[in-house]
Every structure is written in structure tokens, then in C-alpha cells.
Coordinates of all heavy atoms in Angstrom, one line a residue:
M106 N 36.1 -22.7 31.9 CA 36.5 -22.5 30.5 C 35.3 -22.5 29.6 O 34.4 -23.3 29.7 CB 37.4 -23.7 30.2 CG 38.6 -23.3 29.4 SD 39.6 -24.8 29.3 CE 40.6 -24.3 27.9
R107 N 35.3 -21.6 28.7 CA 34.2 -21.4 27.7 C 34.4 -22.3 26.5 O 35.5 -22.4 26.0 CB 34.1 -20.0 27.3 CG 33.2 -19.2 28.2 CD 33.2 -17.8 27.8 NE 32.3 -17.5 26.7 CZ 32.1 -16.3 26.2 NH1 32.8 -15.3 26.6 NH2 31.2 -16.1 25.3
K108 N 33.4 -22.9 26.1 CA 33.4 -23.7 24.8 C 33.0 -22.8 23.7 O 32.4 -21.8 23.9 CB 32.6 -25.0 24.9 CG 33.1 -25.9 26.0 CD 32.5 -27.2 25.8 CE 33.1 -28.1 26.9 NZ 33.2 -29.5 26.5
N109 N 33.2 -23.3 22.5 CA 32.8 -22.6 21.3 C 31.3 -22.4 21.3 O 30.6 -23.4 21.5 CB 33.3 -23.3 20.0 CG 34.8 -23.2 19.9 OD1 35.4 -22.4 20.5 ND2 35.3 -24.2 19.1
K110 N 30.8 -21.3 21.0 CA 29.4 -21.0 21.0 C 28.9 -21.2 19.5 O 29.6 -20.9 18.6 CB 29.0 -19.6 21.4 CG 29.2 -19.4 22.9 CD 28.7 -18.0 23.3 CE 28.9 -17.8 24.7 NZ 28.3 -16.5 25.1
I111 N 27.6 -21.7 19.4 CA 27.0 -21.8 18.1 C 26.7 -20.4 17.6 O 26.1 -19.6 18.3 CB 25.7 -22.6 18.2 CG1 26.0 -24.0 18.7 CG2 25.0 -22.7 16.9 CD1 24.8 -24.9 19.0
K112 N 27.1 -20.1 16.4 CA 26.9 -18.8 15.8 C 25.7 -18.7 14.9 O 25.0 -17.7 14.8 CB 28.2 -18.4 15.0 CG 29.4 -18.2 15.9 CD 30.6 -17.9 15.1 CE 31.8 -17.8 16.0 NZ 33.0 -17.5 15.3
N113 N 25.5 -19.8 14.2 CA 24.4 -19.8 13.2 C 23.8 -21.2 13.0 O 24.6 -22.2 12.9 CB 24.9 -19.2 11.9 CG 23.8 -18.9 10.9 OD1 22.7 -18.9 11.2 ND2 24.2 -18.6 9.7
I114 N 22.5 -21.3 12.8 CA 21.9 -22.6 12.5 C 21.0 -22.4 11.3 O 20.3 -21.4 11.2 CB 21.0 -23.1 13.7 CG1 21.9 -23.3 14.9 CG2 20.2 -24.3 13.3 CD1 21.0 -23.7 16.1
M115 N 21.2 -23.3 10.3 CA 20.4 -23.3 9.1 C 19.5 -24.5 9.0 O 20.0 -25.6 9.2 CB 21.3 -23.2 7.9 CG 22.1 -21.9 7.8 SD 23.3 -21.9 6.4 CE 22.1 -21.8 5.1
V116 N 18.3 -24.3 8.8 CA 17.3 -25.5 8.7 C 16.8 -25.4 7.2 O 16.2 -24.4 6.8 CB 16.2 -25.4 9.7 CG1 15.2 -26.5 9.5 CG2 16.8 -25.4 11.1
H117 N 16.9 -26.5 6.5 CA 16.3 -26.6 5.2 C 15.1 -27.5 5.2 O 15.2 -28.6 5.6 CB 17.4 -27.1 4.2 CG 18.6 -26.3 4.1 ND1 18.7 -25.2 3.3 CD2 19.8 -26.4 4.7 CE1 19.9 -24.7 3.4 NE2 20.6 -25.4 4.3
K118 N 14.0 -27.0 4.7 CA 12.8 -27.8 4.6 C 12.8 -28.4 3.2 O 13.0 -27.8 2.2 CB 11.6 -26.9 4.8 CG 11.4 -26.4 6.2 CD 10.1 -25.6 6.3 CE 10.0 -25.1 7.7 NZ 8.7 -24.4 7.9
V119 N 12.5 -29.7 3.2 CA 12.4 -30.5 2.0 C 11.0 -30.6 1.6 O 10.1 -31.1 2.4 CB 13.1 -31.9 2.2 CG1 13.0 -32.7 0.9 CG2 14.5 -31.7 2.6
E120 N 10.7 -30.2 0.4 CA 9.3 -30.4 -0.2 C 9.1 -31.8 -0.6 O 10.1 -32.5 -1.1 CB 9.1 -29.5 -1.4 CG 9.1 -28.0 -1.1 CD 8.0 -27.6 -0.2 OE1 6.9 -28.1 -0.3 OE2 8.2 -26.8 0.7
P121 N 8.0 -32.4 -0.3 CA 7.8 -33.8 -0.6 C 7.8 -34.0 -2.2 O 7.2 -33.2 -2.9 CB 6.4 -34.1 -0.1 CG 5.8 -32.8 0.3 CD 6.9 -31.8 0.4
I122 N 8.5 -35.0 -2.6 CA 8.6 -35.3 -4.0 C 7.2 -35.7 -4.6 O 6.8 -35.3 -5.6 CB 9.6 -36.4 -4.3 CG1 11.0 -35.9 -3.9 CG2 9.6 -36.8 -5.8 CD1 12.0 -37.0 -3.9
D123 N 6.5 -36.5 -3.8 CA 5.2 -37.0 -4.3 C 4.2 -36.6 -3.2 O 4.5 -36.7 -2.0 CB 5.3 -38.6 -4.4 CG 4.1 -39.1 -5.1 OD1 3.2 -38.4 -5.4 OD2 4.1 -40.4 -5.3
K124 N 3.1 -36.2 -3.6 CA 2.1 -35.7 -2.7 C 1.3 -36.8 -2.1 O 0.5 -36.6 -1.2 CB 1.1 -34.7 -3.4 CG 1.9 -33.5 -4.0 CD 1.0 -32.3 -4.2 CE 1.8 -31.3 -4.9 NZ 1.9 -30.1 -4.1
Q125 N 1.5 -38.0 -2.6 CA 0.8 -39.2 -2.0 C 1.4 -39.5 -0.6 O 2.6 -39.6 -0.5 CB 0.9 -40.4 -2.9 CG 0.1 -41.6 -2.6 CD 0.3 -42.7 -3.6 OE1 1.4 -42.8 -4.2 NE2 -0.7 -43.5 -3.7
P126 N 0.6 -39.6 0.4 CA 1.2 -39.9 1.7 C 1.9 -41.2 1.8 O 1.6 -42.2 1.1 CB 0.0 -39.9 2.7 CG -1.2 -39.4 1.9 CD -0.8 -39.5 0.4
L127 N 2.9 -41.3 2.6 CA 3.7 -42.5 2.8 C 2.9 -43.6 3.2 O 3.0 -44.8 2.8 CB 4.9 -42.2 3.8 CG 5.8 -43.4 4.0 CD1 6.5 -43.7 2.7 CD2 6.9 -43.0 5.0
S128 N 1.9 -43.4 4.1 CA 1.1 -44.5 4.6 C 0.3 -45.2 3.5 O 0.1 -46.4 3.5 CB 0.1 -44.0 5.7 OG -0.7 -43.0 5.2
H129 N -0.2 -44.3 2.5 CA -0.9 -44.9 1.4 C 0.0 -45.7 0.5 O -0.4 -46.8 0.0 CB -1.6 -43.8 0.6 CG -2.3 -44.2 -0.6 ND1 -3.5 -44.9 -0.4 CD2 -2.1 -44.2 -1.9 CE1 -4.0 -45.3 -1.6 NE2 -3.1 -44.8 -2.5
K130 N 1.2 -45.3 0.3 CA 2.2 -46.0 -0.5 C 2.5 -47.4 0.2 O 2.6 -48.4 -0.5 CB 3.5 -45.2 -0.6 CG 3.4 -44.0 -1.5 CD 4.8 -43.4 -1.6 CE 4.7 -42.1 -2.5 NZ 6.0 -41.5 -2.6
I131 N 2.7 -47.4 1.5 CA 2.9 -48.6 2.2 C 1.8 -49.6 2.1 O 1.9 -50.8 1.9 CB 3.3 -48.3 3.7 CG1 4.6 -47.6 3.7 CG2 3.4 -49.6 4.5 CD1 5.0 -47.1 5.1
S132 N 0.6 -49.1 2.3 CA -0.6 -49.9 2.1 C -0.8 -50.5 0.7 O -1.1 -51.7 0.6 CB -1.9 -49.1 2.5 OG -1.9 -48.7 3.8
S133 N -0.5 -49.7 -0.3 CA -0.6 -50.2 -1.7 C 0.5 -51.2 -1.9 O 0.2 -52.2 -2.6 CB -0.3 -49.0 -2.6 OG -1.4 -48.1 -2.5
F134 N 1.7 -51.0 -1.3 CA 2.8 -52.0 -1.5 C 2.4 -53.3 -0.8 O 2.5 -54.4 -1.5 CB 4.0 -51.5 -0.8 CG 5.2 -52.4 -0.8 CD1 5.8 -52.7 -2.0 CD2 5.6 -53.0 0.4 CE1 6.9 -53.6 -2.0 CE2 6.7 -53.8 0.4 CZ 7.3 -54.1 -0.8
H135 N 1.8 -53.3 0.4 CA 1.4 -54.5 1.0 C 0.2 -55.2 0.2 O 0.2 -56.5 0.1 CB 0.9 -54.3 2.4 CG 2.0 -54.0 3.4 ND1 1.9 -53.0 4.4 CD2 3.2 -54.6 3.5 CE1 3.1 -53.0 5.0 NE2 3.9 -53.9 4.6
A136 N -0.7 -54.4 -0.3 CA -1.8 -55.0 -1.1 C -1.2 -55.7 -2.3 O -1.7 -56.8 -2.7 CB -2.8 -53.9 -1.5
E137 N -0.2 -55.1 -3.0 CA 0.4 -55.7 -4.2 C 1.1 -57.1 -3.8 O 1.0 -58.0 -4.6 CB 1.4 -54.8 -4.8 CG 0.8 -53.6 -5.5 CD 1.9 -52.6 -6.0 OE1 3.0 -52.9 -6.0 OE2 1.5 -51.4 -6.2
I138 N 1.8 -57.1 -2.7 CA 2.4 -58.3 -2.2 C 1.4 -59.4 -2.0 O 1.6 -60.6 -2.4 CB 3.3 -58.1 -0.9 CG1 4.5 -57.2 -1.3 CG2 3.7 -59.4 -0.3 CD1 5.2 -56.7 -0.1
I139 N 0.3 -59.1 -1.3 CA -0.7 -60.1 -1.0 C -1.3 -60.6 -2.3 O -1.5 -61.8 -2.5 CB -1.8 -59.5 0.0 CG1 -1.2 -59.2 1.3 CG2 -3.0 -60.4 0.0 CD1 -2.1 -58.4 2.2
E140 N -1.6 -59.7 -3.2 CA -2.2 -60.1 -4.5 C -1.3 -61.0 -5.2 O -1.7 -62.1 -5.8 CB -2.5 -58.8 -5.3 CG -3.1 -59.2 -6.7 CD -3.4 -57.9 -7.5 OE1 -3.0 -56.8 -7.1 OE2 -4.0 -58.1 -8.6
R141 N 0.0 -60.7 -5.3 CA 1.0 -61.5 -6.0 C 1.1 -62.9 -5.4 O 1.1 -63.9 -6.1 CB 2.3 -60.8 -6.0 CG 3.4 -61.6 -6.9 CD 4.7 -60.8 -7.0 NE 5.3 -60.5 -5.7 CZ 5.6 -59.4 -5.3 NH1 5.4 -58.3 -6.0 NH2 6.2 -59.2 -4.1
K142 N 1.2 -62.9 -4.0 CA 1.3 -64.2 -3.3 C 0.0 -65.1 -3.5 O 0.2 -66.3 -3.7 CB 1.5 -64.0 -1.8 CG 2.9 -63.4 -1.5 CD 4.0 -64.4 -1.8 CE 5.3 -63.9 -1.3 NZ 6.4 -64.8 -1.6
L143 N -1.1 -64.5 -3.6 CA -2.3 -65.2 -3.8 C -2.4 -65.8 -5.2 O -2.8 -66.9 -5.4 CB -3.6 -64.4 -3.5 CG -3.9 -64.2 -2.0 CD1 -5.1 -63.2 -1.9 CD2 -4.2 -65.5 -1.3
K144 N -1.9 -65.0 -6.2 CA -1.9 -65.5 -7.6 C -0.9 -66.7 -7.7 O -1.2 -67.6 -8.5 CB -1.5 -64.4 -8.5 CG -2.6 -63.4 -8.8 CD -2.2 -62.3 -9.7 CE -3.3 -61.3 -10.0 NZ -2.9 -60.2 -10.9
Q145 N 0.2 -66.6 -7.0 CA 1.2 -67.7 -7.1 C 0.9 -68.9 -6.2 O 1.5 -69.9 -6.3 CB 2.6 -67.1 -6.6 CG 3.1 -66.1 -7.5 CD 4.4 -65.4 -7.0 OE1 4.7 -65.6 -5.8 NE2 5.0 -64.6 -7.8
S146 N -0.1 -68.8 -5.3 CA -0.4 -69.8 -4.4 C -1.0 -71.1 -4.9 O -0.8 -72.2 -4.4 CB -1.3 -69.3 -3.3 OG -2.6 -69.1 -3.8
G147 N -1.7 -71.0 -6.0 CA -2.4 -72.1 -6.6 C -3.7 -72.5 -5.8 O -4.2 -73.6 -6.0
L148 N -4.1 -71.6 -4.9 CA -5.4 -71.9 -4.2 C -6.6 -71.7 -5.1 O -6.5 -70.9 -6.1 CB -5.4 -71.0 -3.0 CG -4.4 -71.1 -1.9 CD1 -4.5 -70.0 -0.9 CD2 -4.5 -72.5 -1.2
S149 N -7.7 -72.3 -4.7 CA -8.9 -72.0 -5.4 C -9.4 -70.6 -5.0 O -9.0 -70.0 -4.1 CB -10.0 -73.1 -5.0 OG -10.4 -72.9 -3.7
K150 N -10.4 -70.2 -5.8 CA -11.0 -68.8 -5.5 C -11.6 -68.8 -4.1 O -11.5 -67.8 -3.4 CB -12.1 -68.5 -6.5 CG -11.5 -68.1 -7.9 CD -12.6 -67.6 -8.8 CE -12.0 -67.3 -10.2 NZ -12.9 -66.8 -11.1
K151 N -12.2 -69.9 -3.7 CA -12.9 -70.0 -2.4 C -11.8 -69.9 -1.3 O -12.0 -69.1 -0.3 CB -13.6 -71.3 -2.3 CG -14.3 -71.5 -0.9 CD -15.0 -72.8 -0.8 CE -15.7 -72.9 0.5 NZ -16.3 -74.2 0.7
N152 N -10.7 -70.6 -1.5 CA -9.6 -70.5 -0.5 C -9.0 -69.2 -0.4 O -8.6 -68.7 0.6 CB -8.5 -71.6 -0.8 CG -9.0 -73.0 -0.5 OD1 -10.1 -73.2 -0.1 ND2 -8.2 -74.0 -0.8
K153 N -8.8 -68.5 -1.6 CA -8.2 -67.2 -1.6 C -9.1 -66.2 -0.9 O -8.7 -65.3 -0.1 CB -8.1 -66.7 -3.1 CG -6.9 -67.4 -3.8 CD -6.8 -66.9 -5.2 CE -5.8 -67.7 -6.0 NZ -5.7 -67.3 -7.4
L154 N -10.5 -66.3 -1.0 CA -11.4 -65.5 -0.3 C -11.3 -65.7 1.2 O -11.4 -64.8 2.0 CB -12.8 -65.7 -0.8 CG -13.1 -65.1 -2.2 CD1 -14.5 -65.6 -2.7 CD2 -13.0 -63.6 -2.2
E155 N -11.1 -67.0 1.6 CA -11.0 -67.3 3.0 C -9.7 -66.7 3.6 O -9.7 -66.1 4.7 CB -10.9 -68.8 3.2 CG -12.3 -69.5 3.0 CD -12.1 -71.0 3.1 OE1 -11.1 -71.5 3.4 OE2 -13.2 -71.7 2.8
V156 N -8.6 -66.7 2.8 CA -7.4 -66.0 3.3 C -7.6 -64.6 3.4 O -7.2 -64.0 4.4 CB -6.2 -66.3 2.3 CG1 -5.0 -65.5 2.6 CG2 -5.9 -67.8 2.3
L157 N -8.2 -63.9 2.4 CA -8.5 -62.5 2.5 C -9.4 -62.2 3.7 O -9.2 -61.1 4.4 CB -9.1 -62.0 1.2 CG -8.2 -61.9 0.0 CD1 -8.9 -61.6 -1.2 CD2 -7.0 -61.0 0.3
D158 N -10.4 -63.0 4.0 CA -11.3 -62.8 5.1 C -10.5 -62.8 6.4 O -10.7 -62.0 7.3 CB -12.4 -63.8 5.1 CG -13.5 -63.5 4.1 OD1 -13.6 -62.4 3.6 OD2 -14.3 -64.5 3.8
K159 N -9.6 -63.8 6.5 CA -8.8 -63.9 7.7 C -7.9 -62.7 7.9 O -7.7 -62.2 9.0 CB -7.9 -65.2 7.7 CG -8.7 -66.5 7.7 CD -9.3 -66.6 9.1 CE -10.0 -68.0 9.2 NZ -10.7 -68.2 10.4
I160 N -7.3 -62.2 6.8 CA -6.5 -61.0 6.9 C -7.3 -59.8 7.4 O -6.9 -59.1 8.2 CB -5.8 -60.7 5.5 CG1 -4.8 -61.8 5.1 CG2 -5.2 -59.3 5.5 CD1 -4.2 -61.7 3.7
I161 N -8.5 -59.7 6.8 CA -9.3 -58.5 7.2 C -9.7 -58.7 8.7 O -9.7 -57.7 9.4 CB -10.6 -58.5 6.3 CG1 -10.1 -58.0 4.9 CG2 -11.6 -57.5 6.8 CD1 -11.2 -58.2 3.8
D162 N -10.1 -59.9 9.1 CA -10.4 -60.1 10.5 C -9.3 -59.8 11.4 O -9.4 -59.1 12.5 CB -10.8 -61.6 10.7 CG -12.2 -61.9 10.2 OD1 -13.0 -60.9 9.8 OD2 -12.5 -63.1 10.0
N163 N -8.1 -60.1 11.0 CA -6.9 -59.9 11.8 C -6.6 -58.4 11.9 O -6.3 -57.8 13.0 CB -5.7 -60.6 11.2 CG -4.4 -60.5 12.0 OD1 -4.5 -60.0 13.1 ND2 -3.3 -61.0 11.5
L164 N -6.8 -57.7 10.8 CA -6.6 -56.2 10.8 C -7.7 -55.5 11.7 O -7.3 -54.6 12.4 CB -6.7 -55.6 9.4 CG -5.5 -56.0 8.5 CD1 -5.7 -55.6 7.0 CD2 -4.2 -55.4 9.0
N165 N -8.9 -56.0 11.6 CA -10.0 -55.4 12.4 C -9.8 -55.6 13.9 O -10.1 -54.8 14.7 CB -11.3 -55.9 11.9 CG -11.7 -55.3 10.6 OD1 -11.3 -54.2 10.3 ND2 -12.6 -56.0 9.9
S166 N -9.2 -56.8 14.2 CA -9.0 -57.1 15.6 C -7.9 -56.3 16.3 O -7.8 -56.2 17.5 CB -8.8 -58.6 15.8 OG -7.5 -59.0 15.3
N167 N -7.0 -55.7 15.5 CA -5.9 -55.0 16.0 C -6.2 -53.5 16.3 O -5.4 -52.8 16.8 CB -4.7 -55.0 15.0 CG -4.0 -56.4 15.0 OD1 -4.1 -57.1 16.0 ND2 -3.5 -56.7 13.9
D168 N -7.4 -53.1 15.9 CA -7.9 -51.7 16.1 C -8.2 -51.4 17.6 O -8.5 -52.1 18.4 CB -9.1 -51.4 15.3 CG -8.7 -51.2 13.8 OD1 -7.5 -51.0 13.5 OD2 -9.6 -51.3 13.0

């Protein structure tokens, strides 16, 4: 028994709304979160720098 055959396929390409790549948007979003959390933390400048150094070390070790 024959099943219905596909007669026509239409593909619509969507133009990106923003030319900024998604990866850059995600990175910017994470940076904003980290900045906000550090401002709210009440840590000293020295401690904030230590936190940022640990974040950077962690990111570099994942490469």
C-alpha cells in the first residue's frame, strides 16, 4: 500500500535580528551577573580581585 507522497517542501530562512553573535551576548550576560554579585557581596577590593582571579584560572583550566 502506498502512503501519501510529499509534494512540496518550503524552507524559510530567518535573518538574524541582531548581528551580534549569540556567544558574545551570553558572555556579556555572565559578566554582568558576576559584576552585580561582586558589588552586592560586600567584599573588599582585594577579595573581589581574588574571586576574579579564581574565575579566570577556572576558565583557563577548562581549555
Side-chain angles (χ1 to χ4, degrees):
M106 221 172 162
R107 272 173 85 181
K108 296 198 177 207
N109 294 339
K110 290 186 176 182
I111 298 173
K112 296 178 184 178
N113 191 11
I114 296 177
M115 295 177 68
V116 177
H117 298 278
K118 292 185 179 182
V119 178
E120 293 296 322
I122 296 171
D123 192 357
K124 299 200 186 242
Q125 188 179 30
L127 183 59
S128 61
H129 181 69
K130 288 181 182 181
I131 293 171
S132 296
S133 297
F134 176 70
H135 285 141
E137 289 173 16
I138 291 172
I139 293 168
E140 181 181 6
R141 185 174 62 236
K142 290 292 186 180
L143 285 174
K144 285 181 180 178
Q145 295 172 351
S146 68
L148 296 172
S149 68
K150 287 184 181 183
K151 181 181 178 184
N152 290 356
K153 289 178 185 178
L154 288 173
E155 288 175 6
V156 169
L157 290 173
D158 285 339
K159 293 291 184 183
I160 291 171
I161 291 168
D162 289 344
N163 189 4
L164 289 172
N165 287 334
S166 68
N167 289 330
D168 288 341

